[in-house]
């Protein structure tokens, strides 16, 4: 292996961290292979569901609360580790009855309910692989992901709730599953509304608390896939990022401890949806591995009242709060004095993720929510990295934080900023953020396409992982994230490729060409603006613009509704015919 000299030290670090997890069989080698092919804790066997639940129940912590759940109407539920463990066992038994075996992919299309966490753990208890699809994705987007995974089983709920509206998820699944490989649709019933049932295919998940079943956790080798999570890149086809078991869990366990100092006493609240990587690593796996209590909330941040989140922090005595700059920017528009009336004395750590946090947002978070008594932990990472890469460490002898900087790489992470040739750039120079050594949380591949995995992440700069982000290092070596370097947008922390948006727009029969261009947005960070040319003979109308907006919602989901659609006579192109998006972007953002 061609690593810097301190390989021995780094391997020791990860071996020590991995030993915090319960292994059935110890590993033979800390790691093997290099770059995109590296595998961690080779030969070791474990089970993620066992590590998150059984260990705590066995240690006599079955009565401890695992999840405090709150719905939009203020409904509350409490699940202890013992109850969650029982639920996971019942779900695992049900999935087993439906034929799920080791290595099978199960798609989950679920709202933010404890059952979602339980289903993830039930799938992996059997050695299955979950593929969670964010429940804000449309039927078309869900279908694309179902087909890509080849899944035979999907789990959904009849409904979800957001901003007072009932979202009917089951009909979306019905539409998405048609003429795919889906054989069974498992439905968690929440409402009293009648559900349209397909007798041969649908199974209502009737969950009876009194049923005691035990499903033996499947022992899997460390590199056995734990989940697939689709994310966007520069092409129109989403990538199924695949994570392994032992390396990933070791990394999530370590990073949530280092960055947030989580422990059994923590009341931890991460506001991310389980449909994104944050919801995997730091809603489901991270807090449960540590036996912490978490708060889980369904619905919008400012509904039914603008202060619902602050009340939750106060009522549940949240000690670690982890959210996105987009949410903070929305709250910054509210009356500060009213927010500050809440009792935030319980808070110890504030986290941020998803987008660069502007220094003024950082300061507001620190002052108003943290009362200048909680470190603001800005965590830079990605779906592909599995866990935090660049982030302050809560319990480290306080390094000086700098508002707007994710500070320094975590232990074992070698990050750098390089130019096109892969050479480190001088301080304060913008360049590409790369990671110069594999880490245990790194994705193990793209589902069904190892070549693409290598090409996208490990080929641009030989020997290093390419993140797709711009960054600069200051003279103290602190990292400042400067947004994506590729054709990927970040709308309210949701990552989406311009190519994906463009292929959605082209589904509209009137559109000849399109350029999807990011524009800065005060709350969401970025939004998308579309420039389209129409096919010959088509006349522009407000109705047509509306339809083009709708096609994006239909093909992807409402979270990418374009801010504006401009119909133009022609798009600026290079001599070879490539649309010059940079030019449009510069023009839109007022620096053209
Ligand atoms: C992209 C990854 C990682 C969980 C949520 C998003 C941007 C993420 C930060 C941060 C600046 C950030 C990057 C990255 N990003 N966190 N703290 N500061 N930018 O995961 O959907 O895989 O998106 O989000 O551009 O590449 P994701």
């Amino acid at each position: 292996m061609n690593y810097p000299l301190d390989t021995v030290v780094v391997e020791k670090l990860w071996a020590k961290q991995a030993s915090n997890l319960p292994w059935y069989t110890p590993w033979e080698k800390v790691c093997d292979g290099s770059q995109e092919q590296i595998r961690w804790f080779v030969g070791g066997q474990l089970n993620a569901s066992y590590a998150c639940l059984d260990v705590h129940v066995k240690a006599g912590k079955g009565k401890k609360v695992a999840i405090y759940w709150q719905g939009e109407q203020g409904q509350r539920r409490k699940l202890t580790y013992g109850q969650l463990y029982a639920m996971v066992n019942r779900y695992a038994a049900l999935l087993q009855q439906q034929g799920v075996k080791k290595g099978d992919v199960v798609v989950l299309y679920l709202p933010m309910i404890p059952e979602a966490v339980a289903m993830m753990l039930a799938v992996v208890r059997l050695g299955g692989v979950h593929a969670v699809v964010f429940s804000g994705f449309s039927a078309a987007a869900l279908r694309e992901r179902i087909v890509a995974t080849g899944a035979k089983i999907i789990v959904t709920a009849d409904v979800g709730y957001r901003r007072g509206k009932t979202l009917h998820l089951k009909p979306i699944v019905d539409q998405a599953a048609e003429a795919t490989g889906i054989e069974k649709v498992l439905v968690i019933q929440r409402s009293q509304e009648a559900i349209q049932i397909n007798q041969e295919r649908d199974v209502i998940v009737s969950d009876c608390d009194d049923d005691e079943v035990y499903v033996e956790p499947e022992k899997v080798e460390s590199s056995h896939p734990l989940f697939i999570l689709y994310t966007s890149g520069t092409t129109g086809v989403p990538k199924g990022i695949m994570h392994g078991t032992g390396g990933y869990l070791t990394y999530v366990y370590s990073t949530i401890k280092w960055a947030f100092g989580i422990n059994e006493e923590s009341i931890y609240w991460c506001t991310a949806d389980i449909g994104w990587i944050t919801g995997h690593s730091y809603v489901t796996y991270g807090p449960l591995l540590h036996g912490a209590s978490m708060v889980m909330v369904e619905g919008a941040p400012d509904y039914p009242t603008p202060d619902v989140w602050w009340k939750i922090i106060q009522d549940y005595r949240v000690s670690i709060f982890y959210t996105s700059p987009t949410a903070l920017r929305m709250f910054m528009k509210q009356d500060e004095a009213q927010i500050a009336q809440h009792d935030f004395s319980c808070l110890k750590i504030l986290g941020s993720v998803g987008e660069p946090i502007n220094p003024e947002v950082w300061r507001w978070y620190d002052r108003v929510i943290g009362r200048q008594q909680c470190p603001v932990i800005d965590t830079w990472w990605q779906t592909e990295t599995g866990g935090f890469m660049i982030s302050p460490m809560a319990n480290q002898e306080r390094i000086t934080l700098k508002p707007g900087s994710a500070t320094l790489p975590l232990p074992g992470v070698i990050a750098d900023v390089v130019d096109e040739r892969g050479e480190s750039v001088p301080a304060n120079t913008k360049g590409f953020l790369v990671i110069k050594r594999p880490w245990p949380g790194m994705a193990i591949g793209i589902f069904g396409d190892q070549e693409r995995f290598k090409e996208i992440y490990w080929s641009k700069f030989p020997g290093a992982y390419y993140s797709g982000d711009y960054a600069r290092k200051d003279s103290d070596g602190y990292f400042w994230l400067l947004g994506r370097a590729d054709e990927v947008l970040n709308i309210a922390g949701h990552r989406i490729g311009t190519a994906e948006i463009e292929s959605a727009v082209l589904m509209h029969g009137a559109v000849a060409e399109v350029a999807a261009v990011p524009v800065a947005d005060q709350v969401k960070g970025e939004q998308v603006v579309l420039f389209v040319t129409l096919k010959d003979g088509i006349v522009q109308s407000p109705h047509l613009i509306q339809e083009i907006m709708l096609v994006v919602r239909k093909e992807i989901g409402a979270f990418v509704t374009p801010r504006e659609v401009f119909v133009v006579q022609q798009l600026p192109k290079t001599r070879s015919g490539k649309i010059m998006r940079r030019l449009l972007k510069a023009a839109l953002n007022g620096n053209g």
Side-chain angles (χ1 to χ4, degrees), residues 49-64 66 80-89 125 214 264 288 291:
S49 160
Y50 182 89
C52 288
L53 298 171
D54 301 41
V55 277
H56 306 310
V57 173
K58 284 189 178 177
K61 293 172 194 146
K63 293 224 157 59
K64 186 186 166 160
T80 63
Y81 271 90
Q83 287 167 324
L84 185 61
Y85 167 82
M87 188 188 256
V88 168
N89 274 282
R125 193 167 187 89
Y214 172 76
E264 283 183 1
L288 294 179

Side-chain angles (χ1 to χ4, degrees), residues 446-466:
I446 293 179
F447 184 63
D449 202 345
Q450 269 331 76
E451 268 313 300
R452 201 166 151 219
F453 183 58
K454 179 173 183 183
E455 187 192 308
I456 295 174
Y457 303 104
W458 294 93
S459 301
K460 188 171 167 77
F461 303 108
Y465 167 86
Y466 172 50

